[in-house]
Amino acid sequence: SAVISQKPSRDICQRGTSLTIQCQVDSQVTMMFWYRQQPGQSLTLIATANQGSEATYESGFVIDKFPISRPNLTFSTLTVSNMSPEDSSIYLCSVLGGSWANEKLFFGSGTQLSVL
Amino acid sequence: GIQVEQSPPDLILQEGANSTLRCNFSDSVNNLQWFHQNPWGQLINLFYIPSGTKQNGRLSATTVATERYSLLYISSSQTTDSGVYFCAVAVWGSGNTPLVFGKGTRLSVIA
């Protein structure tokens, strides 16, 4: 399985500011996925980040609010822009891996964001 | 899109008891995974099981794809099994769709 390092692990931010979350993988991967988990809720996919192309955003998420970079096959960043208290969530980076067909999804340890 | 329903939403067990968690999904899938989120938020992939049965220690899972459900069995539960168990499904291949997560089953194992 892939080893995924995510930072920061947690942060407390002021309304109106932005936070960039970093995700580093120990092997080259084609796709990286960013999820949001609101308090007490399930996981919702924000976007899929492919190296060399623009990220693909899910319904309800836009690039201006959640810009993503994917400069190489082992690294990605997610920025949460112009934050409001509603953005308080856990943000998770994930990649596909597995024994033969890269069929399993593995997650980083997450970034717990609180917006005041 | 695909709907995923998990039951029960909450479960409290005495240490040593067995349990069965269920995941129903609304459409054909070729990817189904079970995850455990521990109380510190870390998500661990337990099983990739689009069909059939797998076992890993005290945990086992069965997916009956034709009837659109999957079951996760936990035997001889331990306090470290506490957390939230998520089922996630997708159709991967041509026209990939993202994994859709259920709302989870929150398990509390008490000593």
Side-chain angles (χ1 to χ4, degrees), chain A residues 31, chain B residues 30-31 90-97:
Chain A
M31 291 189 291
Chain B
N30 62 8
N31 192 308
V91 178
W92 280 354
S94 62
N96 287 0
T97 61

Side-chain angles (χ1 to χ4, degrees), chain A residues 37 42-43 45 96 103 105 109, chain B residues 33 37 42 45 92 98 102:
Chain A
Q37 186 178 24
S42 186
L43 281 74
L45 182 64
L96 289 172
E103 72 280 8
L105 197 63
S109 55
Chain B
Q33 302 184 37
Q37 187 171 37
Q42 178 69 53
N45 192 303
W92 280 354

